[in-house]
Amino acid sequence: MKFSEDNLLDIALIFEQDNGNNLSDNDALLVKNSGLNHYQPEELEKLIISTIVDADPEYRSKAYWVLGKRFNKNLVHGFNKWLEVELNNKNPDLVYQILIALDNLGLSVFGTDRDGSYSSQEADLNMRDARLYLDNHA
């Protein structure tokens, strides 16, 4: 089952709520109207993962972002695998999205020379950091 891009936003909100964050009334209404609120977060996670391989880059980027909202350390292996794929395919925006997800899980993925400043606009540095991280962790 492949979700629409709007559904991916709804799922991100479901994950946020599952992590203990309160949704605004508007966000709660979005989730309710999505028809996805009967799914368990674990189920949504698995469904998203199953769509990544065959998806276009724009969808994969959003899927990585949404999965990053899970803060699930069990996803590290998958993120590492996807990072290798996106790095080899020279997709700096997708690499950045995965680096942020891994960073949010407490992994040191960005070079120390960046002093805590990361941007999707720093494609060369992000690609470098991804390669260094994978060389040391995958």
Side-chain angles (χ1 to χ4, degrees):
M1 171 180 193
K2 185 174 178 186
F3 297 102
S4 71
E5 291 184 24
D6 287 340
N7 282 153
L8 288 176
L9 173 60
D10 299 328
I11 294 168
L13 294 171
I14 291 169
F15 290 167
E16 290 280 346
Q17 189 172 31
D18 188 56
N19 288 330
N21 296 314
N22 292 323
L23 299 182
S24 69
D25 290 342
N26 186 48
D27 287 346
L29 185 60
L30 286 172
V31 169
K32 180 181 176 186
N33 290 340
S34 73
L36 297 172
N37 54 345
H38 66 280
Y39 285 99
Q40 292 298 312
E42 297 79 13
E43 205 176 351
L44 292 168
E45 177 184 295
K46 288 178 186 175
L47 289 168
I48 292 172
I49 290 169
S50 72
T51 66
I52 288 177
V53 172
D54 297 324
D56 62 75
E58 186 175 335
Y59 185 91
R60 290 195 317 272
S61 179
K62 289 180 173 86
Y64 299 145
W65 173 76
V66 171
L67 289 172
K69 297 289 184 186
R70 283 290 286 150
F71 294 95
N72 180 353
K73 290 199 180 248
N74 294 325
L75 291 175
V76 170
H77 176 74
F79 280 129
N80 287 348
K81 180 178 69 172
W82 301 320
L83 184 60
E84 183 77 44
V85 168
E86 302 303 351
L87 188 62
N88 289 337
N89 289 335
K90 297 179 176 46
N91 289 323
D93 292 336
L94 282 70
V95 165
Y96 176 74
Q97 202 59 250
I98 296 168
L99 289 175
I100 290 296
L102 289 166
D103 184 64
N104 287 340
L105 289 170
L107 297 168
S108 298
V109 293
F110 293 104
T112 57
D113 60 327
R114 297 182 71 178
D115 297 324
S117 174
Y118 323 118
S119 169
S120 62
Q121 302 299 312
E122 298 174 316
D124 290 340
L125 289 174
N126 293 333
M127 299 294 272
R128 176 205 69 183
D129 290 348
R131 176 50 50 212
L132 289 171
Y133 166 78
L134 287 173
D135 287 348
N136 291 313
H137 294 89

